[in-house]
Amino acid sequence: MPAKKIIAPFYERLALTLLGFLALGYLIIVGKDILDPLIFGFIFAILLLPVSNFLEKKLHLPRSMSSLASILLLVALVGGILYLVGSQISNLANDWPMLKSQVSQSIHDLQSWVQSAFHINAAKQLKYVDDASKKIMESGTDVVSTAFGAISSLMIFYVFIMIFTFFILLYRRLLLRFIIWVFRDENSAVVMDIVENVQSIMRQYILGLLLEMFIVASVAITVFLLIGIKYAALLGIIVGLFNIIPYIGIFTALLLSTIITFATGNIGKTVTVAVSVIVIHAVDANFLLPTIVGSKVRLNALISFIGIILGEMIWGLSGMFLSIPVIAIFKIIFDRIESLKPWGYLLGGDYESNKKAAEKLKVE
């Protein structure tokens, strides 16, 4: 007589699941220094895999050389972008004395307008404003030194990402065989399905984001040039770069754009730039993003927002960038494992794509 299968109570399974999440979160926090560049390397390896395969098959390069050549192409692309941004930032640094004078003048103009419009005594306000502006300007050297330290740390982090990307491309077959071996041969079809979908969806998602970033930056630069503001190229690039961070990026881009415009222009141009950034983001979110990126990563807005917040709390800015791709990978895995399908359904936002689950739950 076959043994009766014992199913653990729901509260026991829920407790084990929560303990698993807590343990996973602890490991993620402790292992940040290695996991952070490793995940970036994994994503870059997925992006560069077609290039590496092309170099191997068409040019008959060995795997090590094709992986290295793919990395060098990526470095050249990123280096070009950094050179463009760096040249704009250097111009901004050269104009620092002028910016200091412009900020002081703009603040005085704003204070005069507030006094005339609202009939508020400006004596104490002027003192506070002068003290604050002096502190900000006098701390410029400290800000620059801190920025250089951050850039050096970022460059080291970038080097580690490239190293991980190279080794993942080089040993990709070994890693794939290891994964199949760990999950046994009878599950190889499911494992291969997950691997293929992760590669396809991540590649399309990343390329879509890059194309979206390029279009948004180009439109922003054009609009800023028409407005006639200084550093239009720098501000446009800032809007395009931060636009790829969902929800939070728009506020960061808006803040930086308005501050730099206020320091180099007047209140009218500052308001125009702020309105332009909001309009560009609205058009992108409602038309450009669904068209280019599409619904490749089907995550609902609540899960996406929570993921971004948790990513920032755990890993800072890099956690914000990685949160959506990582959650998307988990969703792909959950959707293909029977016991984890409810979690995949929770992460998803497209009820049509989860038709079977919706019918099972009788959700319309």
Side-chain angles (χ1 to χ4, degrees), residues 79-268:
I81 297 175
L82 291 177
Y83 175 78
L84 181 61
V85 176
S87 63
Q88 295 293 318
I89 294 177
S90 65
N91 293 334
L92 185 65
N94 293 332
D95 291 339
W96 182 256
M98 184 202 69
L99 294 178
K100 179 178 178 180
S101 175
Q102 181 68 22
V103 168
S104 300
Q105 184 61 41
S106 299
I107 291 176
H108 281 292
D109 293 341
L110 179 62
Q111 180 270 329
S112 300
W113 177 80
V114 170
Q115 181 181 8
S116 61
F118 299 100
H119 305 289
I120 299 175
N121 185 3
K124 292 184 178 180
Q125 296 180 35
L126 184 59
K127 183 178 182 302
Y128 290 136
V129 169
D130 286 339
D131 292 342
S133 60
K134 287 179 181 178
K135 289 180 180 178
I136 292 173
M137 294 303 172
E138 289 172 356
S139 63
T141 305
D142 296 333
V143 171
V144 172
S145 61
T146 304
F148 275 115
I151 291 173
S152 61
S153 300
L154 183 63
M155 293 304 296
I156 295 174
F157 179 72
Y158 181 63
V159 170
F160 275 105
I161 291 176
M162 294 299 101
I163 293 174
F164 278 122
T165 304
F166 172 77
F167 283 119
I168 291 173
L169 285 173
L170 182 61
Y171 295 112
R172 56 182 181 268
R173 286 184 182 172
L174 182 147
L175 295 174
L176 179 59
R177 289 171 182 170
F178 166 76
I179 294 174
I180 295 176
W181 195 359
V182 166
F183 291 99
R184 301 177 182 177
D185 291 338
E186 58 265 26
N187 299 318
S188 60
V190 177
V191 173
M192 287 302 300
D193 183 42
I194 292 174
V195 170
E196 290 173 359
N197 276 274
V198 167
Q199 290 185 33
S200 175
I201 291 177
M202 286 295 99
R203 192 177 299 121
Q204 294 177 30
Y205 175 70
I206 296 169
L207 291 176
L209 282 182
L210 293 176
L211 178 59
E212 179 205 6
M213 179 183 70
F214 175 77
I215 294 175
V216 170
S218 301
V219 172
I221 291 173
T222 303
V223 171
F224 294 159
L225 287 174
L226 292 175
I227 295 173
I229 63 173
K230 198 172 184 180
Y231 306 114
L234 175 62
L235 296 182
I237 294 173
I238 288 175
V239 172
L241 287 175
F242 281 95
N243 189 70
I244 63 176
I245 304 177
Y247 308 109
I248 298 176
I250 174 60
F251 298 105
T252 306
L254 182 63
L255 178 63
L256 293 174
S257 300
T258 51
I259 289 176
I260 295 177
T261 305
F262 180 74
T264 58
N266 51 47
I267 297 176

Side-chain angles (χ1 to χ4, degrees), residues 299-356:
L299 303 176
N300 65 60
L302 176 62
I303 295 299
S304 300
F305 187 73
I306 292 175
I308 292 169
I309 298 299
L310 290 177
E312 195 280 332
M313 291 172 60
I314 296 174
W315 285 0
L317 184 61
S318 62
M320 296 172 65
F321 279 101
L322 291 174
S323 58
I324 301 300
V326 169
I327 296 175
I329 292 173
F330 275 111
K331 186 183 185 306
I332 293 171
I333 297 173
F334 293 164
D335 285 342
R336 284 156 180 81
I337 299 177
E338 190 64 34
S339 60
L340 298 177
K341 283 186 176 181
W343 294 98
Y345 181 73
L346 174 66
L347 299 180
D350 189 351
Y351 288 102
E352 187 175 350
S353 66
N354 294 298
K355 188 175 180 180
K356 292 182 180 179

Side-chain angles (χ1 to χ4, degrees), residues 16-35:
L16 290 174
T17 302
L18 293 177
L19 286 175
F21 278 126
L22 290 175
L24 180 62
Y26 176 76
L27 292 175
I28 289 174
I29 294 173
V30 172
K32 175 186 181 301
D33 292 338
I34 187 172
L35 290 177

Side-chain angles (χ1 to χ4, degrees), residues 216 219 276-291:
V216 170
V219 172
S276 301
V277 172
I278 294 173
V279 171
I280 291 172
H281 175 74
V283 173
D284 169 63
N286 291 282
F287 300 101
L288 194 60
L289 182 63
T291 302

